[in-house]
Amino acid sequence: MDVLVGCSTGINKIYNIHKKTPTGLYGALNTTSELNVMTFGWNSVENNEDYVFYGYSNGILKYWNQKEKQLIGEIDYGQSIKAIHPLNNDKLLVALENGLVDVKTLTAPITTQLTPMNLPTLNKKKSPAAATSAVGKNNKSKQVTAEPVNTQSFSLNVATNLSGFAMNPSNDKFAFGGKDVNLTIWDLEKQVKTYSAKFKHDFLNLQEPVSINVVKYMNDDKILIGSGFRIKAYDLRSKTNRSSFLDVSFSKHPIQSIQYTNQKEHYFYASDSIGKVFCYDVRTSRQVGSFKDCTGSVKDIAIHPTLPLLATVGLDRHLRVYNLDNRKMLHKIFLKQRLSCVLFSKEEPTNEIAIEEEEIWKNLDENKNRINDDDDNNEGNDKKSISIKVTDNMDSDDDIEDGDDDNDVEFPMGADSDDSDFDLGNSDDDNISVKKENKDDSDDSDDDSDEDEKPKRKTPAKSNLRNNNNNNNKGKNNKGKNNSSTKKTSQVLKKKFAGLKKRK
């Protein structure tokens, strides 16, 4: 999933939060202007998220193909751009700081060029509806028809200054406000004002100061505004009551951004200039929770269209992504530049990521099973029985070498044998079990002739020697010997056999 981030210096970045890697970088460094607004292209265009509009404080509007990293075109409006909204029928609405709302119809194809059609621009301040006035000496009524409205390319002088601007979800009305400019709503098709909000007076019966920075539609009937340090909500369906039904003292610092999503229809999210990001309940007018770790001014907030994700950017140069449900921070990325705007792409995590994760877990399980199989094989090898044959006439000082003897003693040393039967680490002779091999009468007659022959010992397996060495370490620590493990095993066996012989 990609997140588009606009830097205040003109550099634009694309970051994939699932792969945790940057996937795009384009734009040109410009320190003379700052980025004010960023939005995707027309919804009627296929893959509209590949096309992005950028509006700057010097009045330059740029249209980029972010997939190809190519600048399609730009328009100079001469005033700081406060809002950009692509409309239907290849129209583009741009709101400027001086209160001018400009609508242009662009020539096709809009995906490869940004050229306005050569149409006359009409400035309208009054309703174009037919007006009737009484003129003449006899006060005879004369009907005067207003100039027809140009809906293809026009500009509206709606205010002296403009700071907050928003289009309703139906794209047929727009709302705005500013310094000493109260909330006002205009009909875009009729080009006439349809609503004007009213601020309540304080306890001294004085009107509150008006300084609207942010305007955000909840739906076609309700709207949120950030005025100074307070957030207000209005119900546009009421024709008699133009006062706000919600009035929240948000912060002691100016409000920077307000966001609303249909995923949480009773909540809205707002940020201020010192790093506070809060969630409020519209029904109770109370704070529900906050999003931690933000520092500095939080310039913009974005919410994913379908997933419960919220992203913030600000002057601390970090992109943060939170979970809307528990308000925990999921990602924190340092992007080196002062950030002004952020946009979520509509795409969700692809199946490729899930497949990669499944392959990783599958490989881990296979490696684990392979290790377990190897361990089982080693245990099977360790369980092989080993017998050591010792003659009765063997002295304690004799070396153990390969040889044959008829009358010998066999010691079982298998892994399945009981430790009480044979314990090399224990000096007590009673813990040793000895098995005498019964020989035939013919073999007994040859005992004298074979006295000088040396005994034969079967070589134990490596795994059992390793086990014996571990048991012998106890005797090594007690007696302080530093000999090798193999030599030490032979010495211990000699002593055991010598003690056995004396007991006999």
Side-chain angles (χ1 to χ4, degrees):
M1 181 193 306
D2 292 335
V3 179
L4 278 71
V5 179
C7 304
S8 60
T9 56
I11 302 296
N12 309 307
K13 300 180 180 180
I14 306 172
Y15 195 90
N16 191 297
I17 61 175
H18 288 284
K19 296 181 179 179
K20 297 182 180 180
T21 55
T23 58
L25 177 66
Y26 59 96
L29 184 64
N30 186 2
T31 59
T32 60
S33 63
E34 293 187 358
L35 178 66
N36 290 340
V37 61
M38 179 174 68
T39 185
F40 287 121
W42 286 273
N43 294 328
S44 59
V45 178
E46 184 179 2
N47 299 326
N48 69 310
E49 293 183 356
D50 293 342
Y51 306 95
V52 187
F53 286 100
Y54 297 89
Y56 295 89
S57 60
N58 59 358
I60 299 296
L61 180 142
K62 294 184 178 181
Y63 186 39
W64 279 86
N65 184 336
Q66 57 96 3
K67 186 176 182 180
E68 302 293 336
K69 312 299 185 295
Q70 180 182 1
L71 178 63
I72 298 176
E74 61 180 39
I75 300 175
D76 188 1
Y77 284 91
Q79 290 288 331
S80 178
I81 299 174
K82 291 298 183 180
I84 302 173
H85 289 280
L87 305 176
N88 298 328
N89 301 323
D90 300 342
K91 294 180 182 178
L92 181 65
L93 182 147
V94 178
L96 305 178
E97 187 178 20
N98 61 355
L100 183 67
V101 178
D102 185 83
V103 178
K104 287 182 171 60
T105 301
L106 305 177
T107 58
I110 56 178
T111 58
T112 58
Q113 60 181 352
L114 188 66
T115 306
M117 296 180 65
N118 189 12
L119 296 172
T121 301
L122 179 65
N123 297 322
K124 292 294 296 181
K125 291 185 180 180
K126 297 182 180 180
S127 172
T132 304
S133 59
V135 293
K137 294 181 180 179
N138 299 327
N139 292 333
K140 294 181 180 181
S141 61
K142 182 179 179 180
Q143 187 173 2
V144 178
T145 303
E147 184 179 359
V149 176
N150 183 358
T151 59
Q152 298 297 320
S153 180
F154 59 91
S155 59
L156 301 174
N157 294 317
V158 296
T160 57
N161 66 83
L162 188 147
S163 297
F165 189 93
M167 289 287 300
N168 69 338
S170 301
N171 284 337
D172 57 355
K173 295 180 181 180
F174 62 87
F176 61 89
K179 181 66 175 179
D180 297 330
V181 178
N182 211 336
L183 175 65
T184 307
I185 298 177
W186 278 59
D187 191 310
L188 188 61
E189 296 180 356
K190 299 178 181 179
Q191 301 178 16
V192 62
K193 182 172 69 175
T194 60
Y195 183 86
S196 179
K198 180 180 179 181
F199 273 28
K200 296 179 180 179
H201 291 188
D202 58 12
F203 67 98
L204 294 176
N205 200 24
L206 298 176
Q207 184 179 357
E208 295 180 7
V210 179
S211 181
I212 298 176
N213 298 325
V214 187
V215 180
K216 180 66 179 178
Y217 270 96
M218 298 177 65
N219 49 50
D220 289 336
D221 299 327
K222 295 180 181 179
I223 192 170
L224 292 165
I225 65 168
S227 177
F229 315 126
R230 308 185 70 84
I231 295 178
K232 300 176 183 290
Y234 293 87
D235 191 347
L236 306 180
R237 295 170 295 182
S238 177
K239 297 181 179 180
T240 58
N241 185 12
R242 294 180 297 153
S243 300
S244 62
F245 69 89
L246 172 71
D247 191 347
V248 176
S249 180
F250 177 74
S251 172
K252 297 180 180 179
H253 302 274
I255 298 169
Q256 298 294 316
S257 178
I258 299 176
Q259 280 295 337
Y260 174 82
T261 176
N262 292 327
Q263 302 178 43
K264 307 285 185 179
E265 59 180 358
H266 299 300
Y267 303 96
F268 67 89
Y269 308 86
S271 65
D272 64 2
S273 60
I274 63 168
K276 293 181 180 179
V277 181
F278 292 127
C279 174
Y280 276 86
D281 192 332
V282 179
R283 298 165 296 181
T284 61
S285 303
R286 293 183 178 180
Q287 178 183 331
V288 177
S290 62
F291 298 84
K292 305 295 184 181
D293 198 62
C294 291
T295 58
S297 178
V298 180
K299 303 292 289 185
D300 195 15
I301 300 175
I303 299 177
H304 194 276
T306 57
L307 299 178
L309 297 175
L310 180 142
T312 64
V313 294
L315 299 183
D316 63 348
R317 310 183 183 197
H318 281 87
L319 166 66
R320 295 176 176 86
V321 180
Y322 296 88
N323 189 326
L324 283 179
D325 296 330
N326 52 25
R327 296 184 295 278
K328 290 184 178 180
M329 185 171 62
L330 304 177
H331 304 278
K332 180 180 179 181
I333 304 101
F334 180 69
L335 296 178
K336 299 181 181 180
Q337 304 287 335
R338 290 181 292 120
L339 309 178
S340 298
C341 300
V342 61
L343 288 175
F344 261 118
S345 63
K346 296 179 182 179
E347 65 176 354
E348 297 183 3
T350 59
N351 294 330
E352 296 179 358
I353 299 175
I355 292 172
E356 291 178 0
E357 292 180 353
E358 289 180 359
E359 290 179 354
I360 292 172
W361 286 109
K362 184 178 180 180
N363 293 333
L364 290 175
D365 293 337
E366 290 178 355
N367 294 334
K368 184 178 179 181
N369 294 332
R370 190 180 299 112
I371 292 172
N372 293 334
D373 293 339
D374 294 340
D375 293 340
D376 294 340
N377 294 333
N378 293 333
E379 291 178 0
N381 295 331
D382 292 343
K383 292 180 180 179
K384 293 181 179 179
S385 62
I386 299 171
S387 63
I388 299 175
K389 295 182 180 181
V390 183
T391 60
D392 291 341
N393 59 352
M394 176 176 147
D395 295 333
S396 60
D397 296 334
D398 293 339
D399 295 333
I400 298 175
E401 297 180 359
D402 295 338
D404 296 331
D405 188 68
D406 296 330
N407 190 11
D408 54 12
V409 181
E410 182 179 352
F411 288 86
M413 297 180 64
D416 295 333
S417 62
D418 191 3
D419 293 341
S420 63
D421 294 338
F422 189 80
D423 187 7
L424 294 178
N426 192 355
S427 61
D428 191 2
D429 296 334
D430 295 337
N431 293 329
I432 301 176
S433 64
V434 181
K435 295 182 180 179
K436 283 269 188 154
E437 292 184 357
N438 296 325
K439 302 295 181 178
D440 297 333
D441 295 338
S442 60
D443 295 338
D444 294 338
S445 61
D446 298 334
D447 288 341
D448 296 336
S449 62
D450 296 337
E451 288 180 355
D452 297 334
E453 293 184 1
K454 297 182 179 180
K456 181 179 180 181
R457 182 185 58 154
K458 294 183 179 179
T459 305
K462 293 183 179 179
S463 59
N464 287 334
L465 286 177
R466 191 182 302 112
N467 295 332
N468 294 336
N469 292 336
N470 293 334
N471 293 328
N472 291 336
N473 288 335
K474 298 180 181 179
K476 179 178 178 180
N477 295 332
N478 297 331
K479 298 179 181 180
K481 295 182 180 181
N482 296 323
N483 295 332
S484 62
S485 60
T486 305
K487 185 176 180 180
K488 194 167 186 179
T489 304
S490 63
Q491 292 177 355
V492 174
L493 288 173
K494 288 178 182 180
K495 292 183 180 181
K496 297 291 184 181
F497 301 152
L500 180 63
K501 184 176 181 181
K502 290 180 181 179
R503 291 181 61 182
K504 287 182 179 181

